[in-house]
Amino acid sequence: MAAVAEPRGQLIPGGGGGADPADAVAAPGGAGSVSAVVVVRELVQRLGRTEVLRGVSFQVDAGEVLAIMGPNGAGKTTLLRVLGTLLPPTRGQVLVCGHDVRGGGPGLRRSIGFLGHHTFLYPQLTGWENLWFWARAFGVPRPEARVREMLEAVGLPLFAHEPVRHYSRGMQQRLALARVLLHDPVLLLLDEPYTGLDPQAAALLDGFIRQWRGRGRTVVMTSHDPGRSLAASDRVLVLRRGRVAWLGPSAGTDAARLEEVCHPRDSASPGAVAVSPGGALSGGRSR
């Protein structure tokens, strides 16, 4: 099957739920730059008795794509859930679009699109009915036109009136992507979005990310694939045991070296990776 280089439809603003990126600024008081959509300072997150995130700090600017990598259990999904207002921070400061996630409320949530492992689609409803439901939930103006636009953008207009339980896994993933983009969010949170995608669906997602970045929107995504992460992002953040192990530019970073940072060998071995935060990880091994 031939790969699709770009989404079939353009993501025309009109969802109505998201704020303008120009308004996505850090809160007064020097918490971050005026272009910062996400500001995280010394975030500690506990789940029960386990400290999953330990003093995590970073920021993401408008129009930037940040890929978060790390081994299983590093805290990647937990971090996205905090950014998406699904988990209140235990300690530290987390601002999204200039608002503290602890008290942002429905207005802040309308500025966020979250694509997790669950599609949040109702299998007994059609594709059209699913998107209509979420459009009404987010207060999207002209919901009928927006639903039609998004079905076209993800290549599903011919299946709009089929129950979702009859969709293939790839079709469900496309519809889930349409769901999170429906209300035109400022911040898009994607939890391992490429997992299980066929080449056509992966190319579709690549095109959406390029469009989103080009419109000044912000994307934070998790991934286990160094090559895909580097190709799709502006910067990469590596988490290990709940801490930031490395944060640097995607450009000039070698995928093999990035993999070693995510899954390091014993530090005493000759092939161990020595990194300094902020710089690219070029090819070759540390000596």
Side-chain angles (χ1 to χ4, degrees):
M1 184 179 293
V4 178
E6 293 289 345
R8 298 186 184 186
Q10 295 296 308
L11 293 178
I12 302 169
D20 191 292
D23 297 328
V25 297
S33 74
V34 293
S35 63
V37 174
V38 173
V39 177
V40 178
R41 289 188 177 275
E42 296 298 323
L43 170 63
V44 173
Q45 188 65 44
R46 296 184 66 89
L47 298 178
R49 296 184 178 181
T50 303
E51 198 167 78
V52 179
L53 297 171
R54 308 174 181 181
V56 171
S57 297
F58 66 94
Q59 75 175 45
V60 193
D61 291 340
E64 186 175 19
V65 179
L66 176 71
I68 301 175
M69 296 192 62
N72 290 333
K76 303 184 297 297
T77 296
T78 297
L79 178 55
L80 282 197
R81 287 175 61 81
V82 173
L83 297 181
T85 74
L86 301 176
L87 279 177
T90 304
R91 293 200 306 276
Q93 183 183 49
V94 180
L95 304 178
V96 172
C97 301
H99 300 279
D100 194 304
V101 296
R102 290 182 177 90
L108 177 57
R109 293 190 184 98
R110 281 193 291 270
S111 297
I112 300 169
F114 191 106
L115 182 62
H117 296 175
H118 195 286
T119 63
F120 290 101
L121 300 173
Y122 295 95
Q124 71 275 20
L125 300 182
T126 67
W128 179 282
E129 289 167 341
N130 267 279
L131 295 189
W132 174 267
F133 170 83
W134 287 107
R136 295 297 298 270
F138 279 109
V140 173
R142 300 173 58 246
E144 193 166 319
R146 184 63 172 173
V147 167
R148 184 165 51 247
E149 175 192 350
M150 292 309 305
L151 286 167
E152 180 67 34
V154 297
L156 292 175
L158 297 179
F159 304 93
H161 301 292
E162 289 285 334
V164 167
R165 66 175 178 270
H166 295 160
Y167 282 21
S168 68
R169 174 62 179 165
M171 292 167 65
Q172 289 186 26
Q173 289 171 311
R174 291 189 195 191
L175 190 64
L177 181 60
R179 175 186 65 77
V180 301
L181 299 176
L182 192 63
H183 59 292
D184 196 27
V186 171
L187 173 63
L188 194 57
L189 304 174
L190 307 174
D191 195 6
E192 298 182 21
Y194 290 97
T195 300
L197 290 185
D198 59 39
Q200 188 176 23
L204 186 75
L205 180 56
D206 286 339
F208 278 131
I209 290 175
R210 284 193 293 271
Q211 283 191 24
W212 222 243
R213 176 199 279 154
R215 290 184 51 223
R217 294 330 206 192
T218 300
V219 180
V220 179
M221 56 180 279
T222 66
S223 176
H224 284 287
D225 185 339
R228 178 72 71 178
S229 296
L230 292 172
S233 68
D234 299 295
R235 289 189 300 152
V236 177
L237 182 150
V238 176
L239 286 176
R240 284 206 312 260
R241 297 179 181 177
R243 300 183 187 276
V244 176
W246 183 75
L247 174 61
S250 301
T253 291
D254 180 73
R257 291 292 305 282
L258 182 58
E259 176 67 22
E260 289 186 59
V261 173
C262 293
H263 304 280
R265 304 176 185 181
D266 184 84
S267 59
S269 71
V273 176
V275 298
S276 55
L281 297 170
S282 59
R285 304 201 177 204
S286 302
R287 298 184 183 276

